[in-house]
Amino acid sequence: MGFGLGYLLSKIDMVSTSDHASVVSINLFVALLCTCIVLGHLLEENRWMNESITALLIGLCTGIVILLTSGGTNSHLLVFSEDLFFIYLLPPIIFNAGFQVKKKQFFRNFMTITLFGAIGTLISFVIISFGAMNFFKNMNIGSLEIADYFAIGAIFSATDSVCTLQVLNQDETPLLYSLVFGEGVVNDATSVVLFNAIQSFDVSHIKTSIVLQFVGNFLYLLLSSTVLGVVAGLLSAYIIKKLYFGRHSTDREVALMMLMAYLSYMLAELFYLSAILTVFFCGIVMSHYTWHNVTESSRVTTKHAFATLSFVCEIFIFLYVGMDALDIEKWRFVSDSPGTSIVVSSILMGLVLIGRAAFVFPLSFISNLTRKTPYEKIGIKQQVTIWWAGLMRGAVSMALAYNQFTRGGHTQLRGNAFMITSTITVVLFSTVVFGLLTKPLVRLLLPSPKQLSRALSSEPTTPKSFIVPLLSNGQDSEVDLAPHVPRPSSLRMLLAAPTHSVHYYWRKFDNAFMRPVFGGRGFVPVIPGSPPYQSAQELD
């Protein structure tokens, strides 16, 4: 009896010790997050630094300290998990991207964004996959199967445009910001869909039927994921419009919006769809309908809540990537051949550069053929900026690499270890080096303020555009070009101005059928005379 009691007490003591260690780790990590935010604010106007690089460097420095204090056995406070990344950290980032996007610019450039994000990613995927296959087969890096090479193509086709987007201003350079931002989201979704499709098919025996199935599955995932996101956003708008939670509790409105967005993401994961695309389009639909159905206090709350969650998750990811870069277990397998590791990383970085250039410049040329005015065309300086923006690799690449080449965060095979360490090297190099040069490059390549003012003055505006940042935080679904777009009276006009024509018919359909059912701009709040009520009356 005494022996059993002593054994039980020892177990309890071990559990409490483990819990205490977890509490210490979480405290340190939260303190580091606070440090990143403070330093990022202090360095906001710095010519070279931004918050992403700041978090990455703090993570590296912390990893070095932990590595020294632990005697070289550990470098991070928490164990990285791709489930943690995809289930908890990525959804707020992607949803906020869709929620805050300037929809008018996004859909005006939708075809170009799709060209870059989908077709361009496929081109990059092919170049990186077959390039890696040709180079690595003759190198002593361990055994890699054909599925691993295709996975490498998907992993290094996933861009991270955070550094560039932190420099660009969507009010000063709307076209460039829209293209870089939109391509980044579609690119991440396409890379994840490609990666999942590779794991679903037997790519060791490539046949025509396999290729057709692959393409069909790819298109099905893109379409069904988008539809799911739209349906989830419309459902949230309908529920809030009918029940109107604001009469009772702002908290319920905000909670329902958050939970419906997260539910759309998890449903996509449940049905093996692209959760990134689903939650992105859910955010777009919610900003167009749901956001206008809630009270003024809920609008302010949701705006800041979504932005804050996204911001913290981004800092968390970069901070952890910096710490995990020094994980001794992953480097142990390649420590006997550091030269080979450098060569492998250099080859992958070179393939990224070539794969990116292989589609940005040709697809920009094709896109320019459909653009009539000089201000709508993608100039060579903008093309270079778009090419540069997609050279950085980040958390999505890391998560996919862990998924393919580790088991439970651990690496036991030499070939897998090479791929993990090379991914870490490419992520660190591209984020730090290219990220540091982003601000100077953008300032060098972007037009001067005088040219910008002329370009902006050529854009059609409305009186509402001056108060949008104050009243609706850039939620510009209502700031449209309908009053300036003549009704297309012939097929020739439809072909000459397809985006304006599609926009015209969409507005007619939206006003006649969608808004009466799902609400949106003009939905009268519960308190007559409130600011949203007055602005809605002015718009009508």
Side-chain angles (χ1 to χ4, degrees):
M1 180 70 180
F3 174 77
L5 182 60
Y7 178 76
L8 181 62
L9 289 174
S10 65
K11 282 291 185 181
I12 293 175
D13 184 60
M14 289 175 60
V15 171
S16 63
T17 303
S18 176
D19 289 343
H20 179 71
S22 299
V23 170
V24 171
S25 298
I26 293 172
N27 272 280
L28 290 174
F29 208 94
V30 172
L32 288 173
L33 285 172
C34 296
T35 305
C36 291
I37 293 172
V38 172
L39 288 180
H41 174 74
L42 295 176
L43 297 172
E44 186 174 3
E45 299 301 325
N46 187 275
R47 182 181 178 183
W48 304 95
M49 297 293 290
N50 57 56
E51 283 169 331
S52 302
I53 300 175
T54 303
L56 199 62
L57 293 179
I58 290 177
L60 275 172
C61 296
T62 306
I64 293 173
V65 173
I66 297 173
L67 200 63
L68 293 175
T69 55
S70 64
T73 60
N74 187 28
S75 68
H76 43 66
L77 299 169
L78 305 171
V79 177
F80 184 88
S81 167
E82 61 269 20
D83 290 336
L84 169 68
F85 173 74
F86 282 109
I87 301 300
Y88 301 109
L89 298 179
L90 192 59
I93 298 173
I94 302 300
F95 175 78
N96 185 64
F99 193 76
Q100 302 286 353
V101 68
K102 299 256 183 171
K103 294 177 288 297
K104 180 174 60 180
Q105 281 291 335
F106 179 81
F107 286 105
R108 180 186 294 176
N109 301 299
F110 186 74
M111 293 307 298
T112 305
I113 289 171
T114 304
L115 270 178
F116 286 157
I119 307 301
T121 303
L122 290 173
I123 295 172
S124 177
F125 163 77
V126 171
I127 291 175
I128 294 174
S129 296
F130 287 97
M133 196 179 300
N134 290 329
F135 281 110
F136 295 160
K137 278 186 174 179
N138 301 322
M139 299 176 64
N140 182 27
I141 62 171
S143 60
L144 292 174
E145 300 177 355
I146 187 169
D148 293 326
Y149 290 113
F150 284 128
I152 290 170
I155 290 167
F156 288 97
S157 295
T159 65
D160 191 330
S161 307
V162 172
C163 290
T164 308
L165 290 175
Q166 288 177 349
V167 178
L168 296 178
N169 188 308
Q170 62 179 331
D171 294 318
E172 293 180 352
T173 55
L175 171 63
L176 190 59
Y177 188 96
S178 176
L179 292 178
V180 172
F181 169 81
E183 187 231 336
V185 175
V186 178
N187 167 276
D188 285 346
T190 305
S191 299
V192 174
V193 169
L194 276 172
F195 185 83
N196 292 335
I198 290 166
Q199 294 186 324
S200 303
F201 288 96
D202 181 15
V203 293
S204 58
H205 302 89
I206 300 178
K207 302 177 183 178
T208 305
S209 59
I210 294 293
V211 174
L212 292 176
Q213 288 180 17
F214 183 87
V215 173
N217 185 59
F218 178 76
L219 295 176
Y220 162 75
L221 287 175
L222 290 180
L223 181 61
S224 55
S225 302
T226 302
V227 170
L228 178 59
V230 171
V231 170
L234 291 176
L235 182 61
S236 70
Y238 183 80
I239 292 174
I240 287 182
K241 179 176 180 291
K242 287 298 181 183
L243 300 181
Y244 201 33
F245 289 119
R247 279 181 289 191
H248 308 289
S249 171
T250 295
D251 299 336
R252 291 192 181 98
E253 285 184 328
V254 177
L256 185 67
M257 289 183 69
M258 288 184 171
L259 291 174
M260 286 294 291
Y262 191 65
L263 179 62
S264 72
Y265 186 92
M266 294 309 299
L267 283 175
E269 288 286 335
L270 178 65
F271 295 117
Y272 301 101
L273 303 177
S274 172
I276 293 177
L277 267 185
T278 296
V279 78
F280 177 71
F281 278 97
C282 180
I284 290 179
V285 174
M286 278 193 175
S287 70
H288 189 70
Y289 295 109
T290 314
W291 191 78
H292 295 278
N293 294 347
V294 300
T295 57
E296 183 183 15
S297 57
S298 294
R299 296 184 192 189
V300 175
T301 303
T302 52
K303 162 203 160 186
H304 291 292
F306 296 149
T308 302
L309 282 173
S310 173
F311 174 75
V312 172
C313 289
E314 285 181 4
I315 298 298
F316 184 99
I317 290 169
F318 280 103
L319 183 63
Y320 187 82
V321 168
M323 282 190 286
D324 196 62
L326 300 174
D327 188 5
I328 198 68
E329 180 194 83
K330 300 176 182 63
W331 293 98
R332 177 165 52 87
F333 290 91
V334 300
S335 58
D336 59 335
S337 52
T340 304
S341 179
I342 294 174
V343 170
V344 170
S345 301
S346 301
I347 290 173
L348 289 172
M349 194 69 248
L351 290 173
V352 168
L353 292 166
I354 296 171
R356 182 79 183 162
F359 77 82
V360 168
F361 299 105
L363 294 184
S364 296
F365 174 78
I366 294 173
S367 176
N368 284 339
L369 295 178
T370 64
R371 297 172 181 266
K372 304 300 180 183
T373 64
Y375 291 121
E376 290 181 339
K377 292 184 181 294
I378 308 172
I380 186 62
K381 292 182 178 180
Q382 292 176 317
Q383 293 177 32
V384 172
T385 305
I386 294 170
W387 170 74
W388 184 272
L391 293 179
M392 284 164 274
R393 296 296 176 265
V396 174
S397 295
M398 289 285 293
L400 295 180
Y402 272 82
N403 188 296
Q404 179 69 21
F405 298 111
T406 67
R407 297 295 178 268
H410 300 286
T411 309
Q412 300 298 333
L413 300 176
R414 178 179 171 83
N416 290 357
F418 262 107
M419 290 301 101
I420 289 292
T421 54
S422 297
T423 303
I424 292 171
T425 303
V426 170
V427 168
L428 288 177
F429 179 84
S430 62
T431 302
V432 174
V433 176
F434 295 154
L436 285 173
L437 297 175
T438 295
K439 280 187 180 179
L441 181 74
V442 169
R443 289 178 180 176
L444 177 67
L445 293 179
L446 289 184
S448 65
K450 291 183 179 179
Q451 291 173 312
L452 280 175
S453 62
R454 286 201 300 268
L456 289 172
S457 64
S458 67
E459 292 283 339
T461 58
T462 66
K464 178 74 168 61
S465 63
F466 296 102
I467 60 173
V468 165
L470 300 177
L471 293 183
S472 59
N473 184 41
Q475 302 291 342
D476 63 337
S477 60
E478 63 267 41
V479 187
D480 293 311
L481 300 176
H484 304 274
V485 181
R487 180 173 182 171
S489 56
S490 65
L491 179 61
R492 179 181 299 177
M493 190 170 189
L494 178 63
L495 296 175
T499 55
H500 288 175
S501 303
V502 170
H503 178 263
Y504 172 82
Y505 285 118
W506 160 248
R507 283 305 305 269
K508 287 193 67 176
F509 175 77
D510 192 28
N511 291 329
F513 299 101
M514 299 297 287
R515 292 189 193 274
V517 177
F518 300 105
R521 176 177 61 88
F523 180 66
V524 180
V526 66
I527 306 173
S530 64
Y533 177 85
Q534 293 170 351
S535 60
Q537 295 301 308
E538 291 170 4
L539 286 168
D540 293 340

